[in-house]
Amino acid sequence: MLRKLHRTSAVILLAFIIAHLTNHLAALQGIETHTTMLRALRIVYRNPIAETALLLAVLLQIVTGSALLYKRRHERRGIWQHVQAWSGITIAAFLLQHVGAVLFGRYVQQLDTNFYFAAAVLQGGLHKYYFFPYYFAGVTSVFVHLGAAVYLRSTPGIARQVVVAALITSGAATAFAILLCLGGMFYEVRLPSGYAFP
Ligand code: HEM
């Protein structure tokens, strides 16, 4: 039951994550492309039904993941079981801070949580040395967690090695590309007033 719930919320979350990361990768084409895609995607995930389902999936993912972690605490022996546990813990910690920050930005700071909102924490100041690894860990942990699930549930062989290696490599490449772009490596990022990180 616990596993079934964890998988169900994972499917909802994964559909959002694929669209969400593709949206951030679209910023490689420019901020306007990112904004156009963000507006189109928001029609889908910001309507009250979809957003409630998404936020419930986030909550369910964290709760069922923590319960599974506790339930299986004596069963973890192999390296991949530990990789699965630690990448899951990283996703949960990332989601708690990330979704909290987005909701705070929207409802308390009254900001449009757009490209500039995401990029602000990667500009100037000491805080960027926290936020680069934070975003990197958030993105790669999703791919590593999926990789561990594939590894633990498929039969040994070259195909399994290739799929797991491809997942982890593409996770790291995706994170690097998004972060270099938001960090201003490909074009200048000028934050509008109100967006600078305190
Ligand atoms: C470098 C990577 C990422 C950046 C820059 C980023 C940035 C953002 C931004 C700006 C928003 C607000 C979107 C909006 O206003 O429509 C957002 C929302 C969100 N992000 Fe991310 N994100 C990243 C990765 C992730 C990952 C890996 C996950 C999941 C594990 C995730 C989960 C979410 C969720 C659940 C929301 C809330 C959607 C909503 O209800 O509006 N994000 N993110």
Side-chain angles (χ1 to χ4, degrees):
M1 174 70 173
L2 208 55
R3 244 172 94 174
K4 220 173 174 179
L5 276 175
H6 193 64
R7 276 194 199 163
T8 309
S9 53
V11 170
I12 299 173
L13 208 52
L14 210 57
F16 170 79
I17 292 172
I18 292 169
H20 192 49
L21 295 183
T22 308
N23 185 189
H24 294 318
L25 283 173
L28 291 167
Q29 286 267 334
I31 299 175
E32 237 181 83
T33 312
H34 181 278
T35 308
T36 309
M37 190 173 171
L38 180 70
R39 287 196 183 127
L41 285 174
R42 277 179 181 171
I43 297 170
V44 182
Y45 69 74
R46 274 241 186 135
N47 74 70
I49 296 170
E51 189 159 31
T52 307
L54 177 62
L55 295 179
L56 276 176
V58 168
L59 202 67
L60 202 61
Q61 193 70 11
I62 295 172
V63 172
T64 54
S66 308
L68 280 170
L69 200 69
Y70 182 75
K71 204 176 148 200
R72 298 211 192 130
R73 66 197 181 283
H74 300 306
E75 294 166 27
R76 275 189 290 281
R77 288 195 181 86
I79 174 114
W80 282 98
Q81 284 163 333
H82 284 97
V83 169
Q84 189 175 42
W86 282 104
S87 54
I89 292 169
T90 310
I91 296 171
F94 173 79
L95 275 174
L96 282 173
Q97 182 176 342
H98 186 57
V99 177
V102 169
L103 295 179
F104 185 83
R106 248 162 86 183
Y107 296 113
V108 181
Q109 296 174 296
Q110 301 279 319
L111 289 172
D112 179 2
T113 47
N114 53 17
F115 174 91
Y116 296 108
F117 179 82
V121 293
L122 302 173
Q123 317 292 319
L126 274 178
H127 53 261
K128 71 172 176 230
Y129 297 105
Y130 168 76
F131 282 103
F132 270 103
Y134 154 80
Y135 272 139
F136 187 80
V139 175
T140 48
S141 57
V142 172
F143 289 77
V144 171
H145 201 60
L146 278 174
V150 169
Y151 190 92
L152 293 168
R153 273 156 202 78
S154 45
T155 43
I158 189 76
R160 176 171 81 168
Q161 315 279 76
V162 171
V163 172
V164 173
L167 267 172
I168 295 173
T169 315
S170 46
T174 302
F176 265 124
I178 294 172
L179 290 178
L180 291 180
C181 189
L182 289 170
M185 187 67 109
F186 302 133
Y187 45 77
E188 195 186 357
V189 175
R190 275 203 210 160
L191 296 178
S193 70
Y195 279 89
F197 191 74

